Amino acid sequence: WAEDIENVDISAWESTSWGHIRIQQDSANVYESNNTEAAVAEAKTKGDTLEYYGFDESMTFFKVKTSSGSEGYVPVDQAEIPIEPIQAG
């Protein structure tokens, strides 16, 4: 059993959307890395939604895709996972 776990390819989890998050503060930054001192990839406002791809290793940032398609990070205290489904559009 332990050998099976060692052979699991988790890269699919990293590229599969886990759903959406919604910005819950008036403004929030999407950072280029999981650090609030990192460069800001883009700014978001309250109510904006982003697809997320899990969490960083510290569980303090959502991993997201920026509007340009690159990897970004949003602090978990600035967004929420909505209970109701969000319709893309």
Side-chain angles (χ1 to χ4, degrees):
W1 185 80
E3 292 173 2
D4 291 336
I5 290 175
E6 291 176 4
N7 294 322
V8 171
D9 180 10
I10 63 167
S11 62
W13 286 95
E14 294 173 352
S15 61
T16 302
S17 173
W18 288 25
H20 290 86
I21 59 170
R22 180 173 39 223
I23 301 301
Q24 61 185 7
Q25 297 189 337
D26 289 339
S27 64
N29 291 323
V30 178
Y31 297 97
E32 291 182 0
S33 66
N34 59 337
N35 185 325
T36 57
E37 300 297 317
V40 174
E42 59 190 19
K44 296 294 180 182
T45 58
K46 187 172 187 169
D48 286 348
T49 59
L50 296 154
E51 271 191 282
Y52 80 107
Y53 297 82
F55 300 88
D56 73 330
E57 298 79 22
S58 69
M59 301 294 286
T60 58
F61 287 84
F62 291 108
K63 289 182 181 180
V64 299
K65 293 274 190 216
T66 65
S67 54
S68 66
S70 60
E71 187 174 272
Y73 295 85
V74 175
V76 296
D77 64 349
Q78 296 182 5
E80 64 183 355
I81 301 170
I83 294 177
E84 74 279 359
I86 296 173
Q87 299 298 321

